[in-house]
Amino acid sequence: MGRVPNKKKFKLAKSMSSIINYDLETEIEIENINNSQASRSSDVLPVIKQLSSADPTERAWAASCASNLIASEEKIRRLLLSKDLIRLLIERLTDEVYEVVYECVGTLRNLTAIGEYEICAEMFNKDILTPLNMLISKISIIIDNLLKGISHKSDPIEGARKNIWIFTENIICILWALSETSQKVLRRINNMNIVPFLMAFFTQVEKIPLKTLVAAAQCLHTITDDNSDIHGQFEQNPQYVQVLMNVVNLEITTNLNDDHILIKVLCCGIILNLNSIIVSPISGTDFNIYINNYLKSCLNFDIEIAANEAKEVASNIKISDFVTKHPKDDLPTAEEEKLISINSKLTILQLALELLAKICLECFSQDNDNLQDEMQNDDEIEINDSFKENKIMDIDDQVSNTHDQSLLNGPEHLILNAFATDIISDLIRLSKPTSLSYPEQLGHNVIPVKSVVPTITESLAMVHLRAVECMNNFFLTMVDIVEEKWWFTKHRDAAKYTWTRLVELANQVAGKGIKVGAEDPGQKMRGTVLEALVGCLWTLARGLNGDMPLVENQIQSFIQCYKSTVSESMRVKLIGTLGVIAKRQNAIEDNKLIGTFIIGIIRGLSDLSRMDSLSIECIAESLNAIFDIYADKDFDYDEPVFVHEGYLHILESIADNVHNITNSIDEKKSREQRLRMDEAYINLVEFIKYKKDEQFIK
C-alpha cells in the first residue's frame, strides 16, 4: 500500500461543511419542504419571472423562494437551472437593494452546497467572480467600520450591518466551492488577492462569529494546498503564519464548542500547506511540533461512546417526525443538536487524522537527513523494554511503554516519538469498529437495513479509514525513509503486537465475510477499510522482515482472501504480504504453501486465454515476490521448495508469454504498467539465468 496522497481538493473539509452545517439540519428542512410545501413545477415560472421584477421586495422574495425550491427535489432544481437561474441570480448581485443581493448570495451558496461540478462551472462561466470581488471590497470596509466603532453612515452598502456576518460567510463559502472546481477557476481566484481579506478575520478572532471564521479557515485551507501563487502572498506577509499559529495556541476557557476546535484544526492544515515556505520567526520543524501536539489531542474523542449515544438518541426520534413536530424555522431539538454535535466531532476527527497522515508523508521526508543522523547516534543508547514474556497488556501500555525515551529530548524528533509512544495506540483504537460503524451484514442480494443514523455511520467508517491510512503512512516512513527501520528495530515487540491487533481488526471488519470489490449492498466502506488494513499489514510485514506472530491458518486466510476478492489492488497487497511472510527461515512448510500459491498465479500465464482474470499489477507483484523469496540458494527453503517443486521450469515456460504481454501494453496509454512489466520481464530473464547458474555451481 503506497502512502496516502495529499488530496489536492481536500474533499474531507468540503464534506465537513456539508455535514456539520448542512447535513442533518438540511435533512430536516428538506423533509419539511417536501411534505408541507409540496413544491410543483408550476412554482418555477413565477420565481424566474419575479427575479426581474421592478419591485425589489418581489426580487428578494423570488431569490428566497428559489433557495427553498432547489432544496426540495432534484427535478425542481433541474427545471430552475434550465430556466437560466444562475445567470439571473448573478445579475442580481449588482442590485441596488441590499436585501435582493443578500438573498441571491444565499441561494447561490446553497447551489454550491449541492456539490455538482456543472453548477460551479456555470457560475464561473457566467462571471460570478467579478461581482463577488466587488462585494468583498465593500464588506471589508463595513466589517472594518463595525469593528472600529465607526458609524454605519459611512458603510458602502446601506443596511448591510444587520446580517453582515451571514452575508460574508455565504460569499466565502461560494469562493471556497469555486476554488475546488478547476485550476482555471483557482487561478482567477488567486488573482483576486483574497488572502488579506481572509486573514484579517484571524487577527481579531474574539470579535468574529465562529461560523465566519470556520468559512474563512476552510477556504484558506483549500486555496493554500499546493498553490504557489497563494504561497507567494504568504511569503510576502510572513506574519500571517504566526497569526494562524496564535489561533492554534489560543486558550478558550469558556463556551468551547466544536467550531472552536474545527477552526484550530483547519489552521493546522493551512500551516502544513505552507510548510515548504515557512522560515522565521520559528523554523518549520518547530511549527510542525506544535501542530502535531494539537492534532494529537484531537484523537482523544471516544468513538465507541459516541456511537452508543447516537443510537440512544436515534431511538427516541425519527427524522421523518421532524416535519410534523417542528416548523421549518424552529431551532433543532436537544436530540437533534446532540446528533449534529456527534457528527461534527467525528468529521473534525477525520480532518485531524488526514493532517497527521500528511505530517508522516511530507514532514518526515523533508527531515530525512536529520532523522538518519539522529537514528545513527541512537544506536549506542540502551533501550528500556518493558515487554515481558507471556504478559498480556492493553494496547496503550504495550505500545507506549516500549519506546526509547532518550529521543524525546531531541526537538527535531518529538513528532517521531509522539507517533511511536502515543499516536499509534490512538490510531489502533480509532480503527476498531463500533456497534454503529457499518450496516448489518445480511447476505448477498439482500436489501440492506439502513443504519439508525446513516450520517453517523458514514462518519465513523471514514474515521476508521483515515486512522488506518495514517498508520500506514507512519509504517512506510519507518520502513522506507528512516535509516535502519528505527521503530521496527528498537521497538520490535511493539511492532509485533501491532501486527496482532491489526489482524484482529481485519477480522472484525470482515465480519461474516466480505468480497472486496464486489461488496454486498451497503458494505462498500467495510471493504475499503479492510483493504486499507491489509495494506498496513503488508507494510508491517516488510518492517519486521517477515518476523511477525502468525497464528494457525493465518497464511491460508490470506490466500482465501485473495481468492474471494475481485479488487486487483487488494490482490496485489495480499500477494505482497504473503511474499514477505514466505521469506522467514525455519518455516519451510509455510514457504511451500505460499510458494505454491504464488507460482500458481504465474503458471496461469502459460495460457493467454485466461489472462482476463489476471491484472498486470498482479502479474508483476507475483513475479517480484518469487524473485525476492528465492533470491538466494542458501535460504533453507530454496532447495526443498524452489528446486524440488520445479519452479525454474515453470518460470522458463512462461517467459515468452510475459514478453508478449509486456509488448502488448501501449506505452502511451499505460506508461506505468508498461514500465513495471518491462522491469518484471528483464528481471525474469536475469533471474532464470541466475538460478540456472546457481544450480550449476551447486
Side-chain angles (χ1 to χ4, degrees):
M1 180 179 182
R3 286 186 178 81
V4 179
N6 177 29
K7 298 170 179 59
K8 169 63 185 148
K9 296 303 179 187
F10 199 76
K11 292 302 179 185
L12 178 59
K14 179 61 179 170
S15 63
M16 188 175 301
S17 173
S18 300
I19 294 172
I20 293 179
N21 300 326
Y22 180 79
D23 202 345
L24 292 172
E25 296 167 296
T26 304
E27 208 170 320
I28 298 166
E29 290 191 9
I30 288 173
E31 292 200 40
N32 244 321
I33 294 167
N34 284 338
N35 290 283
S36 64
Q37 204 168 307
S39 301
R40 302 181 305 276
S41 297
S42 58
D43 296 331
V44 170
L45 290 178
V47 168
I48 296 297
K49 183 178 180 180
Q50 294 292 68
L51 277 171
S52 301
S53 170
D55 186 344
T57 302
E58 291 183 352
R59 297 198 299 272
W61 170 85
S64 177
C65 187
S67 183
N68 290 334
L69 287 171
I70 61 175
S72 62
E73 54 183 280
E74 184 178 0
K75 181 174 66 175
I76 299 296
R77 182 170 69 250
R78 294 294 176 200
L79 182 56
L80 276 167
L81 292 172
S82 71
K83 300 298 181 182
D84 216 6
L85 174 65
I86 290 177
R87 178 184 62 80
L88 293 170
L89 290 171
I90 292 174
E91 287 178 354
R92 296 272 68 82
L93 294 182
T94 55
D95 198 293
E96 59 186 14
V97 178
Y98 169 70
E99 285 73 15
V100 177
V101 178
Y102 173 80
E103 293 293 348
C104 288
V105 166
T107 303
L108 287 165
R109 179 196 175 176
N110 288 342
L111 278 169
T112 63
I114 295 168
E116 294 182 2
Y117 168 83
E118 292 78 9
I119 290 176
C120 289
E122 183 178 352
M123 289 183 186
F124 175 74
N125 291 334
K126 297 288 173 58
D127 197 24
I128 191 175
L129 292 179
T130 295
L132 284 185
N133 201 20
M134 178 194 66
L135 290 173
I136 287 172
S137 64
K138 291 181 178 181
I139 62 177
S140 297
I141 295 172
I142 296 172
I143 292 172
D144 191 54
N145 289 346
L146 178 64
L147 297 179
K148 291 179 178 178
I150 299 173
S151 171
H152 65 86
K153 294 180 180 179
S154 60
D155 290 350
I157 304 177
E158 184 179 351
R161 284 198 185 189
K162 59 187 176 184
N163 46 28
I164 189 63
W165 297 117
I166 298 176
F167 187 53
T168 303
E169 178 191 340
N170 287 340
I171 288 176
I172 295 172
C173 285
I174 293 171
L175 288 171
W176 173 35
L178 290 172
S179 69
E180 295 185 324
T181 304
S182 70
Q183 286 298 309
K184 181 179 180 180
V185 178
L186 184 59
R187 284 193 295 269
R188 176 80 182 277
I189 292 174
N190 290 346
N191 293 332
M192 290 172 61
N193 195 30
I194 63 170
V195 170
F197 167 69
L198 296 172
M199 284 301 305
F201 297 115
F202 297 99
T203 61
Q204 303 185 69
V205 290
E206 70 283 354
K207 297 180 180 180
I208 311 296
L210 288 176
K211 294 297 183 185
T212 306
L213 287 171
V214 168
Q218 287 170 324
C219 188
L220 275 171
H221 185 251
T222 296
I223 67 174
T224 55
D225 184 14
D226 193 21
N227 187 341
S228 58
D229 290 338
I230 294 297
H231 288 184
Q233 296 185 40
F234 277 86
E235 284 184 296
Q236 293 169 12
N237 298 275
Q239 73 278 9
Y240 285 167
V241 174
Q242 187 60 58
V243 169
L244 293 168
M245 199 69 241
N246 291 342
V247 175
V248 176
N249 291 328
L250 184 66
E251 290 189 15
I252 302 169
T253 57
T254 58
N255 300 321
L256 177 67
N257 64 30
D258 297 337
D259 283 337
H260 286 110
I261 299 171
L262 176 57
I263 291 164
K264 289 189 170 195
V265 173
L266 285 166
C267 285
C268 290
I270 298 166
I271 295 171
L272 284 175
N273 286 343
L274 300 169
N275 196 58
S276 62
I277 66 165
I278 293 176
V279 281
S280 61
I282 305 177
S283 72
T285 300
D286 287 337
F287 269 129
N288 290 334
I289 290 171
Y290 290 130
I291 290 170
N292 190 79
N293 288 341
Y294 182 74
L295 294 175
K296 182 178 69 173
S297 71
C298 295
L299 305 186
N300 296 330
F301 184 58
D302 194 318
I303 58 174
E304 184 63 51
I305 292 176
N308 292 334
E309 288 179 349
K311 287 199 300 184
E312 183 179 351
V313 172
S315 66
N316 298 324
I317 60 174
K318 294 180 180 178
I319 287 180
S320 59
D321 290 341
F322 295 159
V323 175
T324 56
K325 289 181 180 180
H326 309 294
K328 175 177 178 293
D329 293 329
D330 273 6
L331 293 174
T333 65
E335 290 84 1
E336 296 162 15
E337 287 282 11
K338 182 63 177 177
L339 289 178
I340 293 169
S341 177
I342 291 172
N343 203 59
S344 299
K345 290 178 172 63
L346 289 172
T347 48
I348 292 168
L349 182 55
Q350 293 170 32
L351 175 53
L353 289 166
E354 280 206 16
L355 296 179
L356 285 168
K358 183 172 182 176
I359 288 175
C360 284
L361 178 64
E362 296 180 356
C363 299
F364 286 168
S365 298
Q366 291 174 6
D367 291 337
N368 187 16
D369 293 337
N370 291 333
L371 281 169
Q372 290 182 356
D373 292 342
E374 186 72 25
M375 296 309 112
Q376 287 174 343
N377 294 335
D378 185 52
D379 288 344
E380 302 173 359
I381 302 175
E382 183 178 353
I383 304 299
N384 178 18
D385 191 346
S386 65
F387 280 97
K388 294 181 173 60
E389 292 183 1
N390 303 320
K391 183 175 181 180
I392 299 175
M393 301 171 66
D394 290 338
I395 183 61
D396 290 340
D397 294 331
Q398 284 277 16
V399 175
S400 298
N401 294 338
T402 62
H403 297 291
D404 177 13
Q405 298 299 308
S406 63
L407 286 180
L408 293 176
N409 296 323
E412 291 183 342
H413 309 297
L414 291 177
I415 296 174
L416 178 64
N417 283 278
F419 268 87
T421 59
D422 296 320
I423 295 177
I424 289 298
S425 58
D426 282 327
L427 296 177
I428 293 174
R429 173 179 56 81
L430 293 171
S431 303
K432 182 179 179 181
T434 70
S435 56
L436 197 59
S437 295
Y438 308 105
E440 184 180 356
Q441 292 172 294
L442 300 176
H444 186 56
N445 290 332
V446 177
I447 298 175
V449 177
K450 284 188 176 182
S451 165
V452 291
V453 194
T455 307
I456 303 292
T457 292
E458 292 170 7
S459 294
L460 283 166
M462 189 58 70
V463 165
H464 301 324
L465 180 61
R466 295 293 180 247
V468 175
E469 290 173 339
C470 186
M471 253 191 298
N472 193 58
N473 274 10
F474 174 73
F475 297 154
L476 282 164
T477 299
M478 295 298 103
V479 172
D480 296 332
I481 297 178
V482 178
E483 192 172 271
E484 297 186 5
K485 302 180 181 179
W486 173 73
W487 188 66
F488 292 99
T489 55
K490 302 297 183 181
H491 314 297
R492 200 165 191 78
D493 287 335
K496 288 182 178 181
Y497 188 75
T498 301
W499 168 275
T500 301
R501 288 303 305 273
L502 293 188
V503 169
E504 293 172 358
L505 288 175
N507 289 329
Q508 292 171 11
V509 172
K512 298 177 181 178
I514 184 92
K515 192 172 185 177
V516 178
E519 295 87 354
D520 291 331
Q523 301 300 327
K524 185 167 181 59
M525 275 303 292
R526 191 187 289 269
T528 301
V529 174
L530 180 60
E531 180 172 345
L533 280 166
V534 171
C536 257
L537 290 171
W538 183 10
T539 313
L540 271 175
R542 289 174 54 213
L544 289 166
N545 292 321
D547 182 26
M548 66 281 288
L550 298 177
V551 298
E552 187 178 0
N553 296 324
Q554 195 166 100
I555 293 174
Q556 193 61 53
S557 294
F558 282 124
I559 293 173
Q560 186 56 44
C561 187
Y562 175 94
K563 293 177 179 178
S564 67
T565 186
V566 298
S567 166
E568 293 304 325
S569 57
M570 176 73 152
R571 287 180 171 181
V572 168
K573 294 178 178 70
L574 289 163
I575 294 169
T577 304
L578 288 166
V580 179
I581 295 173
K583 294 172 68 175
R584 295 177 305 149
Q585 298 295 289
N586 303 314
I588 295 175
E589 288 304 312
D590 286 348
N591 178 276
K592 185 176 181 180
L593 178 61
I594 296 171
T596 301
F597 165 68
I598 296 178
I599 207 71
I601 297 173
I602 293 172
R603 196 196 302 266
L605 298 176
S606 61
D607 183 1
L608 291 181
S609 64
R610 298 171 54 193
M611 266 296 296
D612 290 342
S613 62
L614 204 57
S615 72
I616 296 299
E617 288 76 12
C618 285
I619 294 171
E621 192 61 45
S622 298
L623 288 170
N624 288 334
I626 292 294
F627 303 156
D628 289 341
I629 297 168
Y630 302 104
D632 193 328
K633 65 181 176 61
D634 291 333
F635 292 153
D636 63 358
Y637 52 70
D638 191 86
E639 183 172 348
V641 180
F642 186 87
V643 177
H644 289 178
E645 297 298 321
Y647 286 6
L648 181 58
H649 174 71
I650 295 172
L651 293 176
E652 287 180 304
S653 69
I654 56 93
D656 287 342
N657 281 350
V658 171
H659 191 208
N660 293 334
I661 292 167
T662 301
N663 289 336
S664 70
I665 302 172
D666 190 327
E667 187 173 356
K668 294 181 179 179
K669 294 181 179 179
S670 306
R671 180 173 174 77
E672 289 187 11
Q673 285 189 342
R674 179 57 186 264
L675 289 174
R676 191 168 189 198
M677 282 304 296
D678 277 336
E679 181 183 23
Y681 174 67
I682 293 170
N683 287 339
L684 174 61
V685 173
E686 292 299 318
F687 184 75
I688 291 171
K689 182 178 181 298
Y690 164 73
K691 295 303 283 188
K692 282 183 174 180
D693 292 343
E694 201 176 53
Q695 291 183 16
F696 176 77
I697 294 172
K698 193 170 182 178

